[in-house]
Amino acid sequence: KMFSAFFAEFDDKAGPVIVFDEPRGRYREKEGRRIWEMFSDYVMTGNALFDGKVVQVRAGGDAVLCLPVVLRNLKYSRNALLFSLGVAVPGAALGPCAAACRGALRRAASVLRAMELEASAVSTRTSGVTKLVPLVLGRLRAAAGAAALTVFHGDDAFFAEAAALAAAASADDVDDGDSSTTTKKKQR
């Protein structure tokens, strides 16, 4: 079971692939590959009905919360650009993690959609995208860990990871999806 965040896109030859992940390399590890294989069809649907909608999927002890984006245009091979942002969390924490991350996923996907429509920034992976996406993924992962603290109070292993992520979240700006409650970065 793991807390991780990802940015994936549909590659014409390889199918759904992870482009960025936090922590880096998590989806190259055995557990990460297992989770990606289990959920990749839900993360990268290509179905216009899921475009811009937050998708929650749980299977056993694992869960994914993601937001797929479908951009249809003749300029793309296959006439569409498909990408998705999301977090993988332990299944028991899906509810609180979804509540903590839903708004941030929507805003991040909206920004990436606009960057692509205005400047093809996602499809060409401009420096703005390569800097923005890892930052967003780190904050999504931290928000998910902080939200999961309430679920894992009796499980030392998960509590330790969630507590570490919560500490990271308290050091950064974390938006819980409600614009009226934002924690500001501490001034040093």
Side-chain angles (χ1 to χ4, degrees):
K1 295 181 171 74
M2 61 197 258
F3 290 96
S4 60
F6 60 85
F7 173 85
E9 67 182 18
F10 189 86
D11 180 89
D12 294 333
K13 294 179 182 152
V17 295
I18 299 287
V19 178
F20 299 102
D21 58 349
E22 173 62 37
R24 292 178 86 179
R26 182 59 76 94
Y27 289 93
R28 287 188 280 280
E29 298 170 1
K30 182 179 179 181
E31 180 70 359
R33 284 191 314 267
R34 181 188 69 77
I35 287 176
W36 181 246
E37 289 298 318
M38 187 171 23
F39 292 113
S40 64
D41 289 341
Y42 298 100
V43 169
M44 196 68 57
T45 68
N47 186 332
L49 294 174
F50 290 107
D51 181 27
K53 306 287 191 242
V54 176
V55 176
Q56 295 178 199
V57 183
R58 183 176 175 175
D62 301 305
V64 168
L65 172 75
C66 66
L67 194 145
V69 175
V70 180
L71 295 173
R72 303 236 181 252
N73 192 310
L74 295 176
K75 73 179 183 178
Y76 304 118
S77 58
R78 299 180 57 140
N79 299 325
L81 175 66
L82 311 175
F83 65 89
S84 183
L85 284 162
V87 291
V89 298
L94 181 58
C97 291
C101 296
R102 189 176 293 119
L105 277 173
R106 285 186 182 125
R107 283 187 299 282
S110 177
V111 166
L112 290 171
R113 178 189 300 271
M115 289 173 73
E116 176 61 26
L117 292 174
E118 292 175 19
S120 297
V122 175
S123 59
T124 59
R125 286 202 197 109
T126 65
S127 63
V129 169
T130 60
K131 290 176 184 173
L132 174 67
V133 171
L135 176 68
V136 168
L137 296 181
R139 292 192 175 170
L140 279 170
R141 182 173 177 253
L149 278 174
T150 59
V151 177
F152 296 121
H153 55 80
D155 187 325
D156 291 340
F158 288 128
F159 186 80
E161 185 175 2
L165 291 170
S170 68
D172 290 331
D173 293 341
V174 176
D175 188 341
D176 64 1
D178 177 28
S179 60
S180 66
T181 57
T182 302
T183 304
K184 295 293 180 192
K185 188 172 185 171
K186 296 176 183 174
Q187 300 295 321
R188 296 182 203 253

